[in-house]
Amino acid sequence: THRTIQFADSQVNALRFSPDGLQLAAAGNPRVLLFDVTSANPNPTFVCDSHKANVTSVSFEQSGGQWFLSSSEDGSLKIWDSRSPGGAKRSLHNGDAVSDAILSADARMAISADSVGRVRVWDITSGRVALEEAPQHSDALQSIALSPAGILAAVNKSGALFLWQMTHGLFAEPTRSASSPPPLSVSPTASHNVAFSVDSGSNGGGGVGGGGGSGSGSGCGLMSSRCALEPLCRVQAHSRYVLKVCWSEDGQSLASAHDDGRVKVWGVSYDALAGGGNLSALHTLGAHQRWVWDIAFSSDGEHLFSASSDKKALLWDLRSGAVVREYIGHQKAITCLATSSETASLGNSFSAAQSSA
C-alpha cells in the first residue's frame, strides 16, 4: 500500500519522522510541514513558516519528539514545539547558509554544518555558539551525523569525511528501555511501509508518497553546558561531492553517499580510531546511475536504503552487498529519505510530480 501527500510549496529538501513514527516532517522552500501519517487528512497538522529560504534539514529530539530543529540556507536554525502551533520558540543565527543540523537527544544543544566549512555546537538556552570546529582546508560541509557513542561525522564537497569524538554526553542517544520497541528487521519479502517524496511537479509543488515494496520563548528549559570535539580521523572518501553521511544504530557502521552513484559503507572501531587507525571500507554499493542524495540504515543495521537522481530508491542487503528491493514508479529524481523505528520509510527531496527543470 502507499499514500501520497502533496507538498504544494516547492520541492522537498528533507524528510524526518517523529520518534514515535506518527508524524512526518517535510522541509521545502521556505516552510516545514508536519503531517499525520496515521490519518487520511492531506493537510498538514503543523506549519513552520519563519524561514526565508530553503529549509535544509529537520531533526527531532529523541526523548519525546515534542521539540524539533530546522536549518536553512537563510543562515538560521529554529526550534519548534510540535505541541504548540505558532512561530519558532527559539532562533539561532549562524549567518552563513546552514546545510545540515542535529538536535541533541534531550534538546539542550544543537550541532550545525554550514557553507563555509564550519561545525558549530550551539547552547540553545543562550543562543550562543559553545564550540566551533573548522577542518583545515575544508570546503562547504554537506552533511553531519552523530553516532550513539558521540562520534560526529561530517562530509564536504571535496570528498572528505571527518570524524570527531564529542566529550560531552548531551548528544548521546537515550538508552533503550525494556518497553521500547525492538529494532526493525527489514526483510526483502516482508511487508513494510515506505514513504517517498519526489521532485517538483508541473504545478511547482512537491509531494510525499509511499509504496509497498531568534524567538524569545521559554524554549526547552535548557541550561548551558560545556563540550569539546576531539579529532579522530580524516578520510578522502571520494574525489568529489559526498552528499550524505549516516550511522547505523549500533554505531559500528557508517555510510556515505556520492555524486557518482556509489554508496560506501565503512566499519568503525573506536579503539582503532583512538589508537590512530582509520575507517575500514566494508562495501562499495554501485547500482545507481546518478547522484545518490540520501541514505539510511534499517534499525537492525543489516540493510541500507538509498535514493538517487536516477529515479530509483533501493534497499541493500549489507551482508551480501546486493540490491534486494527496488522502489519503482518515480518519474523524477529522488533526493531525500527518512526512516522510522516503527516503519521503514523513504522520501525524495523533490515533489511527487516531476522536476520543473
Side-chain angles (χ1 to χ4, degrees), residues 83-101:
R83 301 176 187 175
S84 177
K89 303 305 179 184
R90 188 65 55 93
S91 290
L92 309 175
H93 300 287
N94 185 68
D96 296 289
V98 183
S99 54
D100 201 1

Side-chain angles (χ1 to χ4, degrees), residues 96-148:
D96 296 289
V98 183
S99 54
D100 201 1
I102 303 168
L103 188 61
S104 66
D106 59 4
R108 292 186 176 196
M109 303 187 80
I111 312 175
S112 65
D114 64 29
S115 61
V116 295
R118 296 175 305 195
V119 171
R120 283 179 161 179
V121 180
W122 299 81
D123 182 308
I124 294 177
T125 300
S126 67
R128 296 177 180 174
V129 176
L131 182 66
E132 179 176 314
E133 181 76 21
Q136 187 177 13
H137 307 304
S138 178
D139 206 337
L141 294 173
Q142 295 289 105
S143 174
I144 53 175
L146 193 69
S147 79

